[in-house]
Amino acid sequence: MSAVLEQSASEPEAALTDGFHLVVDALMANGIKTIYNVPGIPITDLGRLAQASGMRVISFRHEQNAGNAAAIAGFLTKSPGVCLTVSAPGFLNGLVALANATTNCFPMILISGSSEREIVDLQQGDYEEMDQLAIARPMCKAAYRVLHAADIGIGVARAIRAAVSGRPGGVYLDMPAKLFGQVMDAEAGRHSLVTVVDPAPAQIPAPSAVERALDVLRGAKRPLIILGKGAAYAQADDDIRALVEKSGIPYIPMSMAKGLLPDTHPLSAAAARSTVLSESDVVMLIGARLNWLLSHGKGRQWGPPGAKKFVQIDIEPREMDSNVEIAAPLVGDIGSCVAALLRGMRDGWVPPPAEWTQAINAKKEQNIARMATRLGKNALPMDYHTALRVLRDVIKERPDAILVNEGANTLDQARGVIDMYQPRKRLDVGTWGVMGIGMGFAVAAAVETGKPVLAIEGDSAFGFSGMEVETICRYNLPVCIVVFNNDGIYRGDGVNLGGGSDPATTAFVKGSRYDRMIEGFGGVGVNATTPDELKRAVDTAMNSGKPTLINAVIDPAAGSESGNIGNLNPKSALTKKAGA
Ligand code: ADP
Ligand code: TZD
Ligand code: MG
């Protein structure tokens, strides 16, 4: 259907259009094909019209999940994911996802309906009154409000450019209710639309910066490359692989960069992570920040202070020297920077000394053997490793499947055990370690790629977005959820230190059956207590593509407090003594 208002026979004048149609037309003119939303005042008809116009509109049960879906759609496609919410409470629900997208450098646009400016600004108590633009502004990269239908095209264009150019991030677009009903001449409306040309222009690094980086790399005896999710986002997969292989420099992938090169690649030093972090003399960061996930580039993990030089490739100049001195900042887009380094290595590149790679390989072999022993055990009830061995094999057999992962132990152990083989196949809690991304990410991964999705979820983590199993069933998406059910947060055997009858703060109902939730919506539920049952159930789900939830029963005593980051969790002497 053409997005032009139908003319009644009694109105022979020029065709008209309105705000609703112009928003849809503006998105479609820029190749945006999907909206993730929760309907309601004032945007119900916008979703309806978008669907009628040929867009895919995925309606969620909670805006945070719709927002997370939009954010990860942006990561997967390099085009901003769009989330649509109602005013005040719906907007606020979506805001966590917008802030999280910005923190993770995922491009997304949160379009929210809002109440009447005149009433909101005089604080006269409008329906869902809130000054949304002011509240959104500090949470995102850019925030705009459109007041006139004729400005919708420009508003959408600005939002797209802000989301994807430079360092990607979240953008807020405020659309007061009155905007949607504004009518204007259809021809003028068409002319007001903007198709954004080259929304994320290449940013070419300065030749002198490339030369400086190559000099630092040439001087290295024990170099290391760290690939971050920015490298995965950049979609420069072939050149990144060529750079690693041509340079002969060992690399470690950050969590969402796993699979950029297969984790089984001979130059992967992931299994010797602590060795390479502490002993390397030059580290090149590609799309990875020296934040808490890398201990800020200093401290014991990094070896003696001042002993290392850093090369950093990033599109954001202000990232340089954020935590430690960067000897060779390479500011530009990763595709252009990596291509420039490759050109510079064409003639006479000498790979790192064999001593370095041999030392790493020896350490790797040791650690891989140790892991194999742990994975070889068949614990019953299942512990993390017993269950994860099964899922590791599933991904090995289906390397194109997308893995979504959240939880504490469920996250940390899965990241270590499950090898990834292809770029952008591992989606997880990211920079904030936020719980609740699971079902939103799973839905968008299935919608955007058409690939099967395996979501490995802690039982607590799953609870944050679990209602979206209905959404998964409603759209019949090929998503298999495995809930690692250890009866609680970190562990299921916590005790109430006050001795009362309330359960421990970290414990859930014992023996819960999450699998029964999905059955209520027509999906497949399976309770798996052994590795064989788990394997059979996941294989069946991945083969059939039917929405499936497997309740994997995990030993309540198998996990540790906060997974691998217990050191960040302050503890009172009192609870330490009580052993909680
Ligand atoms: P990780 O958590 O995997 O270490 P981060 O989210 O900390 O990764 O870092 C990603 C970095 O990648 C950010 O600093 C961001 O500016 C950068 N980035 C994102 N896209 C590009 C790109 N196309 N070119 C260059 N840098 C990019
Ligand atoms: N709320 C939000 C939004 N994000 C968070 N990270 C937390 C709370 C705190 N938190 C974690 O950091 S992990 C986690 C919480 C509540 C859940 C861990 O339990 P789980 O995983 O069942 O998901 P395991 O396997 O039992 O460790
Ligand atoms: Mg748990």
Side-chain angles (χ1 to χ4, degrees):
M1 166 177 140
S2 130
V4 169
L5 279 186
E6 275 176 45
Q7 289 288 295
S8 72
S10 60
E11 285 177 307
E13 322 81 292
L16 298 176
T17 186
D18 65 7
F20 284 115
H21 288 79
L22 286 166
V23 174
V24 174
D25 291 348
L27 293 171
M28 290 180 75
N30 285 287
I32 291 171
K33 296 187 178 68
T34 309
I35 293 178
Y36 300 95
N37 92 133
V38 175
I41 296 172
I43 50 89
T44 318
D45 232 22
L46 185 58
R48 221 177 249 141
L49 182 73
Q51 192 174 49
S53 305
M55 292 184 85
R56 187 113 198 250
V57 182
I58 307 289
S59 286
F60 283 72
R61 306 297 294 260
H62 190 291
E63 291 86 354
Q64 191 176 120
N65 307 319
N68 283 325
I72 210 66
F75 171 76
L76 288 168
T77 64
K78 271 185 118 174
S79 162
V82 173
C83 174
L84 179 63
T85 64
V86 304
S87 32
F91 155 77
L92 286 173
N93 282 343
L95 210 50
V96 173
L98 185 70
N100 188 55
T102 308
T103 298
N104 282 283
C105 316
F106 299 156
M108 82 171 267
I109 301 172
L110 175 66
I111 300 180
S112 184
S114 58
S115 307
E116 294 316 334
R117 294 291 346 131
E118 296 84 344
I119 306 178
V120 172
D121 288 348
L122 272 170
Q123 298 181 25
Q124 293 173 310
D126 201 3
Y127 170 72
E128 298 190 343
E129 175 176 298
M130 175 174 275
D131 188 358
Q132 297 173 194
L133 185 66
I135 288 164
R137 192 157 269 145
M139 307 284 174
C140 57
K141 196 178 161 191
Y144 306 106
R145 175 184 288 136
V146 183
L147 289 174
H148 301 293
D151 290 334
I152 287 172
I154 289 291
V156 168
R158 299 212 72 189
I160 290 172
R161 245 183 221 292
V164 296
S165 62
R167 169 181 279 175
V171 177
Y172 177 62
L173 199 51
D174 192 81
M175 298 199 165
K178 255 190 214 164
L179 176 73
F180 299 115
Q182 282 179 27
V183 171
M184 67 182 284
D185 174 72
E187 178 68 14
R190 259 192 300 278
H191 287 304
S192 74
L193 299 181
V194 176
T195 303
V196 180
V197 176
D198 197 10
Q203 288 184 222
I204 315 288
S208 60
V210 175
E211 226 12 82
R212 190 189 297 119
L214 285 166
D215 278 348
V216 173
L217 291 172
R218 277 190 207 105
K221 295 203 168 55
R222 298 180 304 281
L224 172 69
I225 290 174
I226 300 182
L227 299 172
K229 62 170 113 67
Y233 173 80
Q235 297 193 16
D237 309 338
D238 292 347
D239 271 2
I240 289 173
R241 185 174 181 144
L243 178 72
V244 170
E245 291 177 345
K246 167 80 189 165
S247 70
I249 300 177
Y251 74 95
I252 55 174
M254 299 300 286
S255 176
M256 282 177 61
K258 275 167 71 78
L260 197 40
L261 285 78
D263 280 338
T264 47
H265 194 283
L267 283 167
S268 168
R273 191 173 198 272
S274 38
T275 304
V276 291
L277 284 186
S278 65
E279 291 178 16
S280 52
D281 62 350
V282 168
V283 175
M284 175 157 67
L285 300 151
I286 308 184
R289 286 171 287 186
L290 286 173
N291 55 18
W292 71 278
L293 285 156
L294 284 168
S295 327
H296 306 279
K298 52 199 170 190
R300 225 178 32 179
Q301 199 186 352
W302 286 91
K308 257 190 227 339
K309 283 187 176 165
F310 287 94
V311 178
Q312 183 161 24
I313 302 182
D314 207 290
I315 203 158
E316 172 56 65
R318 286 177 300 175
E319 188 56 41
M320 306 300 160
D321 307 322
S322 59
N323 286 269
V324 298
E325 180 185 288
I326 303 299
L330 198 48
V331 175
D333 74 276
I334 286 168
S336 302
C337 292
V338 167
L341 288 177
L342 267 174
R343 278 193 300 275
M345 285 179 180
R346 234 176 356 215
D347 308 311
W349 177 260
V350 183
E355 279 160 58
W356 174 233
T357 36
Q358 279 161 5
I360 294 171
N361 286 341
K363 192 76 202 169
K364 264 173 74 172
E365 272 166 37
Q366 243 177 41
N367 287 343
I368 289 170
R370 197 172 303 154
M371 176 67 98
T373 314
R374 284 186 83 177
L375 289 171
K377 293 195 183 124
N378 251 343
L380 278 179
M382 290 190 283
D383 61 10
Y384 287 92
H385 282 81
T386 299
L388 285 170
R389 183 190 64 220
V390 168
L391 302 177
R392 177 199 61 174
D393 294 345
V394 168
I395 294 295
K396 193 172 181 182
E397 287 155 16
R398 297 166 201 273
D400 67 330
I402 295 187
L403 181 75
V404 172
N405 192 195
E406 61 178 333
N409 294 279
T410 304
L411 174 89
D412 291 334
Q413 305 302 338
R415 184 177 53 232
V417 169
I418 300 179
D419 285 333
M420 305 304 298
Y421 302 88
Q422 295 179 13
R424 293 171 296 283
K425 297 297 187 187
R426 188 187 151 84
L427 311 174
D428 67 27
V429 300
T431 305
W432 266 350
V434 65
M435 297 299 111
I437 47 86
M439 297 304 103
F441 279 17
V443 167
V447 166
E448 299 287 337
T449 70
K451 301 285 184 197
V453 176
L454 178 64
I456 304 179
E457 301 273 314
D459 51 340
S460 165
F462 174 70
F464 286 77
S465 67
M467 193 61 214
E468 304 298 345
V469 293
E470 189 275 332
T471 308
I472 289 166
C473 290
R474 182 164 22 105
Y475 290 95
N476 194 25
L477 298 172
V479 175
C480 172
I481 305 152
V482 180
V483 174
F484 272 47
N485 187 357
N486 65 343
D487 295 345
I489 298 175
Y490 313 137
R491 294 169 69 95
D493 60 356
V495 289
N496 177 344
L497 297 182
S501 60
D502 280 355
T505 56
T506 49
F508 296 151
V509 168
K510 301 209 180 309
S512 300
R513 292 287 302 273
Y514 291 93
D515 50 309
R516 293 199 176 141
M517 279 178 65
I518 200 168
E519 290 173 354
F521 304 112
V524 178
V526 181
N527 190 50
T529 57
T530 68
D532 286 348
E533 283 170 6
L534 180 58
K535 181 75 163 87
R536 243 192 330 270
V538 179
D539 280 343
T540 306
M542 302 297 272
N543 287 337
S544 70
K546 281 193 194 140
T548 300
L549 195 160
I550 301 162
N551 185 61
V553 180
I554 303 290
D555 183 352
S560 50
E561 175 104 353
S562 300
N564 285 357
I565 52 172
N567 58 315
L568 299 180
N569 203 6
K571 286 203 114 185
S572 141
L574 192 79
T575 55
K576 262 190 211 151
K577 211 158 61 197

